[in-house]
Amino acid sequence: MDKKERLFELRKLLKQYNYEYHTLDKPTIPDSEYDALFRELKDLEAMFPEEYDPTSVTEHAGYEVLSEFKKVRHDKPMLSLDNVFSYAELKDWAKKIEDVYGAIDYAVEYKIDGLAMNLIYEDGKFLRAVTRGNGIEGEDVTSNVKTIASIPKAIPYQYRYEIRGEIYMPKASFETLNAARRQEGLEEFANPRNAAAGSIRQLDSRIAASRGLDGFWYYVPDDINASSHYDSLLYAKKLGFTINDTTRVMKDIDEIYTYIEKVITIRHDLPYEIDGIVIKVNDYRIQKELGFTSRVPKWAIAYKFPPEEASTIIEDIFITVGRTGKCTPNAKLKSVKLQGSTVSYATLHNEDNIRDKDIRINDTVIVRKAGDIIPEVVRSIKEKRDGSQVPYEFPNVCPVCGAKIYRLASEAAHYCINSECKAKIVEGIAHFASRGAMNIDGLGVKRVQQFYENGLIASFEDIYTLQAKKDLILALDKFKEKSYQNLIEAIENSKANSLEHLIFGLGIRQVGEKAAKILAAHFRHIDNIMNATKEDLSMINDIGDITAESIVDFFADEHNRAMINNFKLYGLNMTYQGSEIKESPFTNKTCVLTGSLSHFTRAEATDLLESLGAKVSSSVSKRTDYVIYGEAAGSKLTKAKELGVKTISEEEFKEMLGS
C-alpha cells in the first residue's frame, strides 16, 4: 500500500473509531493507538495537500450526534485540543508563543477523562446542558445532567453565562456500577469515561441519577468577569461551580514538565481518571490574539501521559509454575510497545478470569501495564473475531512434571503439589536468593535452572556448598572465573544478613517480606520462631490465624528444621539485627500514605513508620488510624474524611517525629 492509499484508509478507519468511541461509547482500540493513527494521518495530509477533505477527523472536533436527542447549536464552536507526548514537543509548542510574547503565565490543569459538556445559564437559572457533539452542534442532555448534585441549578449571576467542562464518573462509582452489572449478567463498561458517556446518553434520567456522576468545569468562553483564565475559574468557583483545586499558574515549561512527571506518579491515587495535563496560556488578551484553527485553540495544548493500554493479539496461552506450585496462565502476545517497553507476555491470572472475560487464543485483546506491574489482559475485543479464535482449556496436569494439579476450595488458583516438581524447586531457590530475601546476586532463575540441570544445586542448603564445586561450575557454558568469584562473594556476604531476610527467603506460605520483618523483630532469633505456638504467633499485630498456622506447619516439618540446623553449620546469622521498635504515637497504629511527599520517598516513609511500630496499609478502612497525606492527595484522603479517620499532613507528620 502506497502512502496516498494509506491516507484514504486512515480517514475511513479513524471515522469508524471516532464513531465507536464518541457515539456508541464502545471503543475498540486504546486512546494511545488512536492518537498514533491520528498523527500519522496529519503527517500524510501535510504530504498530500491536494487531497484536502473538510470531513476528515483532523479538520473538526467531534462526532455524530445521536438522533434520540434534540440537536442544539453551540454559540461558539466546542473544539478539541492538540496533543504532545514529550518534553521536546511541549517545549516547541511554548517556544512559538514565547518567541512572540516573551515570558508568560500558563494555567496548568489535570486532563479529566470524561465527557465534554457545555452548561448555559440565563438570569441565574440553569437552562441547558449540551454535549460537544460534532463541535458545531451537540445533544441536549439537560434532564440527565440536572441529576448531578454538584452542578448548581441556580447561580448569583443575572446575565447569560456559559461554562464548559467534563462530566466524569469517579472510580468508586465505576467499580460499584460494574459490580452491579456483573451480578445482573450485563456487559461491563470498559472504563469510567465510557461509563460516564453512556450514563449521560440514557433516555431515562433516573438511570443517570443512579450512576454517581460528577463534573469539573474549566473554561468560560468570552468571560467578561476576568482578564485571565485562572481568574475566570476563581470567579466560576464563587458562583458555585466545582473547579479542580489542583489547577495552578506556572511561568516556566521546565517547571511544568517537572510537575507533569510528579503527577504521573500519583495519578492512580486520584479518585477519578486523568490521561494528561492541559497547559493553557493564562492571559485572555494573548489567547484572543493567538486564536483558533478549525479544530483546536492555538493557546492550549494537552500533554498526554504514556499509554498504559494497547491492543495486540494472543498468539498462545501457556502455564507457568511458581515456587508454591501455583499454576498461572499467561498469554504469549504479538509484541507491542507499552510505556516505553516492548511487551510480549501478559498474565491471565487464573482459569476463572479466562472464562469470565472469554479470552481465546488468536483474540485481539487490550493489555494494560501500570507502573512496574506485570502486564495483564484487560479484555478481548469480540468485534474483531474472524472465526480463527480457539477457546482455552485449562490443563489437569502440571506442564512441568506431569503431576495432577488441584484447585483449593478457598482460592481461584490451581496448584501442583508434587514436592519434586522441577519448576517449584528452581523458583523456590531463586526466591531464596532474590534481593528481598538473601540477596545473592548472580543466582537468578536462569542460573539456578542451569545449576539444577547440571546436578549442582537442588535445595537452599546446596547454595552454601557451591564453593567446593568450582571446577564443575567453571565447566558450564558462559561461566568464567570472575563470575564464579562474584557469586561466591555474594553467597558469603548473605550469611551475615539479618534474620528477616532468611525468614522471607524460606518461602513460608502467607509470610511475605513485611510479615518476615515483624516476626524477626518480635522473636529476635530463629529458634524462638521455630518453637512458637499458634497462640504465640496470633497475638502479634498483623499475624493472623491463617499465617500463624502456616508458620507452625512449616517448622513442624522435620526436613525444614534440619535445613535450619544446616544453615547454622554453614554460618548463617540467625538473629534480628534491626533496631528495637521505639514507642511512638504510631506504635500499633495502622497508617496509610497518599499523595506526593516532599520530604520522604514513599519507601522511606514506610520504613520509618514500621520502625516506629506502625502497620502501613495500602487502603483506607474504618480500622485505619491515620492517613498521612502529601500534595495532590486523592481518593484515599477523601475516603478518610468520609469515614472520620484522622488525617495528618506531611508537615504535621514531621512535627510528630520531632524533625
Side-chain angles (χ1 to χ4, degrees):
M1 181 184 296
D2 64 24
K3 290 184 177 180
K4 192 171 286 190
E5 288 175 330
R6 176 63 172 165
L7 182 152
F8 296 133
E9 180 193 50
L10 283 175
R11 280 178 175 166
K12 184 178 178 181
L13 269 176
L14 288 172
K15 279 183 181 178
Q16 177 63 26
Y17 292 149
N18 222 26
Y19 177 73
E20 291 168 348
Y21 182 90
H22 289 290
T23 305
L24 301 181
D25 302 316
K26 288 187 176 182
T28 57
I29 63 168
D31 288 356
S32 58
E33 291 187 31
Y34 181 91
D35 291 339
L37 294 174
F38 187 92
R39 299 181 97 195
E40 183 185 354
L41 176 57
K42 283 186 72 174
D43 291 343
L44 288 172
E45 288 179 336
M47 194 180 297
F48 299 105
E50 70 276 10
E51 298 299 340
Y52 172 76
D53 180 355
T55 68
S56 171
V57 296
T58 62
E59 292 297 320
H60 62 88
Y63 52 91
E64 181 179 332
V65 178
L66 290 175
S67 59
E68 290 89 344
F69 294 93
K70 178 184 174 183
K71 296 179 182 179
V72 177
R73 192 174 183 86
H74 297 298
D75 290 347
K76 284 184 172 293
M78 206 166 167
L79 304 181
S80 185
L81 290 170
D82 254 345
N83 299 321
V84 293
F85 300 87
S86 68
Y87 167 76
E89 290 177 317
L90 180 60
K91 193 82 171 174
D92 286 346
W93 172 79
K95 185 176 186 300
K96 292 173 186 175
I97 298 171
E98 292 174 2
D99 281 349
V100 177
Y101 295 98
I104 61 172
D105 289 347
Y106 298 96
V108 183
E109 307 167 354
Y110 286 179
K111 186 175 181 297
I112 309 299
D113 199 6
L115 179 70
M117 191 64 60
N118 191 37
L119 305 183
I120 300 168
Y121 291 74
E122 288 275 12
D123 297 324
K125 297 177 182 177
F126 182 24
L127 177 67
R128 187 177 294 120
V130 185
T131 65
R132 174 184 284 141
N134 60 19
I136 303 301
E137 61 180 12
E139 302 142 342
D140 186 334
V141 290
T142 307
S143 60
N144 288 339
V145 173
K146 273 185 175 178
T147 67
I148 300 173
S150 67
I151 293 176
K153 308 309 180 287
I155 58 174
Y157 190 78
Q158 298 308 308
Y159 305 96
R160 185 177 176 86
Y161 190 80
E162 185 175 350
I163 189 167
R164 294 173 178 178
E166 208 84 5
I167 300 293
Y168 69 92
M169 181 172 286
K171 291 176 182 176
S173 299
F174 175 68
E175 291 167 4
T176 300
L177 173 61
N178 267 351
R181 292 179 74 84
R182 278 195 300 274
Q183 282 190 331
E184 296 171 19
L186 299 174
E187 183 180 358
E188 294 180 40
F189 284 105
N191 53 56
R193 186 265 164 206
N194 295 111
S199 301
I200 287 297
R201 291 202 177 94
Q202 293 292 324
L203 297 178
D204 184 348
S205 60
R206 289 174 298 181
I207 296 176
S210 70
R211 296 282 176 86
L213 299 172
D214 211 333
F216 282 123
W217 306 96
Y218 51 66
Y219 177 55
V220 180
D222 295 331
D223 191 357
I224 61 172
N225 303 291
S227 60
S228 73
H229 177 76
Y230 188 69
D231 287 345
S232 175
L233 296 183
L234 295 180
Y235 185 78
K237 187 174 182 179
K238 285 183 181 178
L239 294 179
F241 294 96
T242 304
I243 308 303
N244 196 320
D245 289 334
T246 62
T247 301
R248 60 201 57 205
V249 176
M250 298 184 181
K251 295 179 177 293
D252 180 76
I253 291 298
D254 287 339
E255 178 190 6
I256 292 172
Y257 190 71
T258 299
Y259 177 70
I260 289 170
E261 290 184 311
K262 191 173 186 178
V263 173
I264 289 173
T265 66
I266 63 167
R267 62 183 289 202
H268 297 292
D269 289 335
L270 298 172
Y272 45 80
E273 295 281 358
I274 63 172
D275 60 355
I277 297 292
V278 178
I279 301 97
K280 299 174 180 175
V281 172
N282 192 38
D283 191 305
Y284 270 165
R285 178 186 63 83
I286 299 176
Q287 279 191 15
K288 188 173 182 179
E289 289 180 11
L290 288 169
F292 305 82
T293 70
S294 62
R295 199 181 67 85
V296 299
K298 294 180 181 178
W299 43 264
I301 202 78
Y303 183 97
K304 295 292 287 288
F305 292 150
E308 294 187 318
E309 289 189 352
S311 67
T312 187
I313 294 171
I314 293 182
E315 297 179 336
D316 197 10
I317 295 176
F318 62 96
I319 300 290
T320 54
V321 182
R323 61 185 175 85
T324 64
K326 183 178 179 181
C327 299
T328 303
N330 301 272
K332 168 71 174 70
L333 306 172
K334 182 178 180 181
S335 296
V336 63
K337 280 281 187 182
L338 197 57
Q339 286 192 310
S341 61
T342 300
V343 172
S344 301
Y345 300 93
T347 180
L348 294 172
H349 298 295
N350 53 59
E351 182 184 23
D352 290 352
N353 182 62
I354 295 173
R355 183 191 63 247
D356 294 345
K357 293 179 179 176
D358 189 20
I359 295 168
R360 306 179 184 186
I361 297 170
N362 291 332
D363 255 344
T364 299
V365 295
I366 302 295
V367 292
R368 174 172 59 206
K369 182 182 180 186
D372 295 324
I373 299 171
I374 298 169
E376 65 172 347
V377 173
V378 180
R379 67 183 186 277
S380 60
I381 303 175
K382 298 177 178 62
E383 294 83 355
K384 294 198 173 185
R385 286 181 177 163
D386 58 10
S388 67
Q389 287 67 34
V390 181
Y392 180 71
E393 293 292 331
F394 207 87
N396 296 316
V397 298
C398 174
V400 177
C401 69
K404 187 173 176 60
I405 62 176
Y406 298 88
R407 176 172 175 169
L408 302 181
S410 59
E411 296 187 35
H414 288 74
Y415 288 87
C416 170
I417 60 172
N418 176 18
S419 61
E420 300 302 317
C421 178
K422 169 188 166 182
K424 290 173 65 175
I425 294 171
V426 168
E427 291 285 344
I429 295 172
H431 168 76
F432 182 86
S434 66
R435 181 162 300 189
M438 298 303 284
N439 193 24
I440 303 174
D441 193 31
L443 209 54
V445 172
K446 289 185 178 179
R447 183 67 73 198
V448 171
Q449 186 168 341
Q450 184 186 34
F451 283 5
Y452 177 85
E453 290 172 349
N454 284 275
L456 297 172
I457 192 170
S459 67
F460 299 161
E461 301 105 299
D462 287 344
I463 293 172
Y464 298 96
T465 69
L466 289 176
Q467 189 166 9
K469 302 172 184 177
K470 179 177 181 179
D471 292 342
L472 293 172
I473 292 173
L474 291 178
L476 298 176
D477 184 39
K478 297 180 181 179
F479 216 106
K480 305 298 182 186
E481 176 73 29
K482 181 65 174 174
S483 299
Y484 168 79
Q485 292 298 339
N486 289 341
L487 175 60
I488 297 304
E489 183 179 350
I491 291 171
E492 285 301 306
N493 290 340
S494 76
K495 295 179 180 180
N497 286 338
S498 184
L499 176 60
E500 65 269 22
H501 296 281
L502 175 60
I503 297 171
F504 179 52
L506 293 175
I508 305 169
R509 280 179 65 82
Q510 308 295 332
V511 178
E513 203 166 350
K514 189 172 180 180
K517 189 170 184 179
I518 291 169
L519 289 167
H522 182 87
F523 287 103
R524 316 298 294 182
H525 193 279
I526 191 69
D527 289 346
N528 297 331
I529 301 174
M530 289 172 67
N531 297 321
T533 65
K534 181 181 175 181
E535 289 70 27
D536 295 334
L537 292 158
S538 297
M539 290 176 64
I540 303 171
N541 190 29
D542 289 335
I543 304 295
D545 289 345
I546 295 174
T547 303
E549 188 171 344
S550 181
I551 295 166
V552 170
D553 288 346
F554 182 87
F555 287 113
D557 187 313
E558 289 303 320
H559 171 79
N560 292 333
R561 297 181 77 88
M563 173 177 61
I564 298 299
N565 288 330
N566 286 334
F567 283 150
K568 292 176 180 177
L569 294 174
Y570 289 130
L572 274 68
N573 171 62
M574 296 288 146
T575 62
Y576 176 63
Q577 297 174 339
S579 57
E580 294 279 356
I581 292 177
K582 310 166 191 173
E583 281 293 324
S584 77
F586 301 101
T587 302
N588 296 325
K589 301 294 184 184
T590 298
C591 301
V592 173
L593 297 163
T594 186
S596 178
L597 302 176
S598 302
H599 303 284
F600 310 90
T601 65
R602 189 67 65 90
E604 288 170 346
T606 298
D607 287 345
L608 181 55
L609 284 165
E610 288 179 348
S611 74
L612 296 172
K615 171 189 174 183
V616 181
S617 175
S618 60
S619 59
V620 179
S621 72
K622 290 181 179 178
R623 296 182 180 180
T624 304
D625 294 295
Y626 301 130
V627 169
I628 300 164
Y629 64 92
E631 187 178 351
S635 58
K636 294 175 184 176
L637 182 60
T638 302
K639 187 172 182 180
K641 290 177 179 177
E642 289 173 353
L643 295 174
V645 173
K646 182 173 175 57
T647 60
I648 301 171
S649 70
E650 185 177 6
E651 291 305 317
E652 290 171 326
F653 178 48
K654 285 182 66 187
E655 289 176 13
M656 291 173 74
L657 296 173
S659 59

